[in-house]
Each structure stands twice: as C-alpha cells, then as structure tokens.
C-alpha cells in the first residue's frame, strides 16, 4: 500500500518556543508542538491539521497527544492516527485512516472522524504502566509501556473467557468469567515502538486532562503549541492551513 511520505526533520525550536512555564501539575514540557508532532508523524499532516483546527473551532490548545499506529494486514501496511487536543472546556478527538481502492495504490481515500467532549462529562482518566524488571526498580527507570483510557459516555468493554477451577484435568463446565472496563478511547504507547518521549508526552497529557477535569489549577498552554484564539486563519500557521499532503 502506498504510504504518505514522512515529513522533513523539524528545525530546532527557538528559545521562545522552547520556554515552558511549569504549573503544579506539569513536571516537564511536551517533546514538541502540536504542529511539529503532526509533521513528525507524517500521516497527511496538512489534512489532519485542518481537521483538528476545524474541530477546535477557535479554542486554544492546552495539551495534545498525537498517536500513529501501524498494522500489518497480509501484504498491506495499514496506518491510522489519533489526535487528542485538550482545551479549557473541551477534549477534541480526531481519528484519520486511509483506504486503498486499487492495487496500484493510486486511488486512496481518507476516512475522518472527530468528536468534541465537554471536559465536565469525562468520568475517568486511567493510566496503566508497565515496567521491566520491577525487582530492580530505581526512580530513574523509564516506563516501558503506558495505556491511557478515557471514559465519558458510560460505554463499557467486556472481556470474557471460559472459567476454570485450576485443575488441568477437569473437563466440567465452569461457565465464563471476565472483566468489565469503562472506556471510550484507549491508546497504548510503547517506549520501544514510539520512543521514551512519546510515553512522557502521554503522561503529561493525562496529567493536564486530570487537572482540568477535577477543577485543579489548569496547566498553562504549551509554548509553541497553538496561537491564541483568533480569526480562522489557521491556528497551526500558514504552512499547514491548506490542502492535503500526499
């Protein structure tokens, strides 16, 4: 399957962009701006930026999380991107994937969905961590894998399987057992696949979301993330405000 080209390496941020004011709920800066994260993902960055900009409807970005996933389906490589953007009153979720219509890969369509969730409706923010060699844990050890689960609609996921009594020779029917997890969106970020900074960014995003959701002191917007609200001339800047990059 024809893949969208990856973006060019980003130029180093200026001193003003790199500056970041820490709040009581922010222990470090995100790795890059929202625009830079979309460019680094390289998955139709102009299209995704326009979609997110439209969903924000002029709101200012306080924190963001960009997650690109790759799946292998026989001989095809399928990719899709999920973008979470937090404002002072809204969580915006954008999801974009593409589909190849012909074998040559010349006809491709993008499927896009966006959802805007009032922060007040978010019921839970769950972070699940995975550490390697916990018996040797040190405070400096990085998280190997992080799963972010956000619930707001009351939707639940049910995982079930045959129950057993622990006797490997037992053939009796013990019914089923399972777990119920409340979640509307789940993102799994792996340090091995996505990098240590991606895991750190996910932690910072969850911290910012919790702060706004629980009424704590809201984190200040990340420097260089988005410009203050203004007429619809492109909150991502002119470079990403037009067209579809292939």
């Amino acid at each position: 399957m024809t893949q969208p080209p990856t973006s060019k390496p980003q130029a180093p941020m200026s001193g003003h962009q790199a500056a970041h004011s820490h709040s009581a709920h922010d222990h470090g800066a995100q790795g890059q701006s929202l625009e830079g994260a979309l460019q680094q993902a390289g998955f139709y960055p102009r299209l995704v930026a326009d979609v997110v900009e439209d969903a924000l409807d002029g709101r200012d970005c306080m924190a963001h999380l960009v997650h690109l996933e790759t799946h292998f389906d026989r001989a095809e490589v399928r990719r899709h991107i999920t973008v979470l953007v937090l404002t002072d009153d809204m969580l915006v979720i954008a999801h974009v994937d593409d589909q190849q219509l012909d074998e040559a890969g010349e006809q491709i369509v993008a499927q896009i969905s966006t959802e805007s969730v009032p922060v007040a409706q978010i019921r839970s923010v769950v972070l699940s961590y995975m550490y390697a060699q916990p018996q040797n844990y040190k405070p400096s050890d990085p998280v190997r894998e992080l799963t972010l689960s956000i619930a707001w609609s009351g939707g639940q996921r049910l995982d079930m399987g045959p129950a057993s009594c622990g006797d490997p020779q037992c053939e009796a029917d013990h019914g089923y057992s399972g777990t119920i997890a409340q979640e509307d969106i789940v993102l799994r970020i792996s340090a091995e696949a996505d990098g240590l900074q991606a895991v750190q960014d996910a932690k910072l995003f969850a911290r910012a979301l919790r702060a706004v959701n629980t009424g704590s002191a809201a984190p200040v917007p990340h420097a260089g993330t988005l410009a203050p609200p203004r007429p619809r001339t492109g909150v991502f800047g002119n470079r990403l405000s037009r067209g579809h990059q292939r």
Side-chain angles (χ1 to χ4, degrees):
M1 178 177 178
T2 302
Q3 295 299 314
T6 56
S7 59
K8 296 180 180 179
Q10 296 294 300
M13 292 190 299
S14 65
H16 174 73
Q17 288 177 315
H20 179 74
S21 298
H22 298 276
S23 72
H25 293 272
D26 187 7
H27 299 165
Q30 286 189 300
Q32 56 190 172
S33 68
L34 176 54
E35 178 184 339
L38 294 177
Q39 285 285 354
Q40 183 179 43
F43 190 78
Y44 310 116
R46 291 183 179 178
L47 172 62
V48 178
D50 277 353
V51 168
V52 173
E53 177 186 350
D54 184 69
L56 285 173
D57 197 23
R59 290 179 173 85
D60 188 24
C61 173
M62 300 180 65
H64 66 272
L65 182 61
V66 176
H67 186 53
L68 179 67
E69 294 188 71
T70 303
H71 300 281
F72 297 92
D73 184 9
R74 296 182 181 179
E76 292 185 352
V77 179
R78 304 292 300 273
R79 302 167 72 197
H80 56 93
I81 193 170
T82 302
V83 181
L84 307 182
V85 179
L86 177 66
T87 74
D88 60 349
D89 65 341
M90 195 78 67
L91 172 64
V92 174
I93 303 110
H95 184 84
V96 183
D97 60 8
D98 61 4
Q99 182 177 359
Q100 181 176 308
L101 301 181
D102 62 339
E103 294 184 0
E106 297 178 354
Q107 300 296 324
I108 299 176
V109 296
Q111 298 173 317
I112 303 168
S113 65
T114 62
E115 184 171 4
S116 298
V117 182
V119 171
Q121 291 186 9
I122 295 177
R123 300 189 177 189
S124 68
V125 179
V126 180
L127 283 177
S128 300
Y129 300 88
M130 181 180 293
Y131 283 90
Q133 300 300 107
Q135 69 275 15
N136 300 323
Y137 171 78
K138 301 184 299 296
S140 59
D141 288 351
V143 180
R144 179 177 179 180
E145 183 179 300
L146 183 146
T147 301
L148 171 63
S149 303
I150 307 172
W152 60 85
S153 71
Q156 295 179 327
R157 174 174 56 86
L158 176 63
D159 293 328
M160 295 192 66
S164 65
C165 63
D167 182 357
Q169 304 300 323
C170 180
E171 298 181 357
D173 185 357
H174 296 282
Y176 292 86
S177 64
T179 59
I180 297 177
Q182 186 181 38
E183 59 189 31
D184 285 284
I185 186 170
V186 178
L187 295 179
R188 173 179 169 270
I189 299 94
S190 166
E192 182 177 356
D194 306 304
L196 290 173
Q197 185 62 53
V199 176
Q200 177 69 6
D201 287 347
K203 291 172 62 178
L204 293 173
F205 179 84
R207 185 177 297 128
L209 179 57
R210 285 198 304 259
V212 175
N213 181 234
T214 60
S216 304
V220 296
H222 295 287
T225 301
L226 287 176
R230 58 185 179 183
R232 296 297 297 272
T233 56
V235 292
F236 289 87
N238 293 331
R239 288 194 300 115
L240 291 180
S241 61
R242 292 290 184 272
H244 174 109
Q245 177 163 313
R246 286 287 308 280

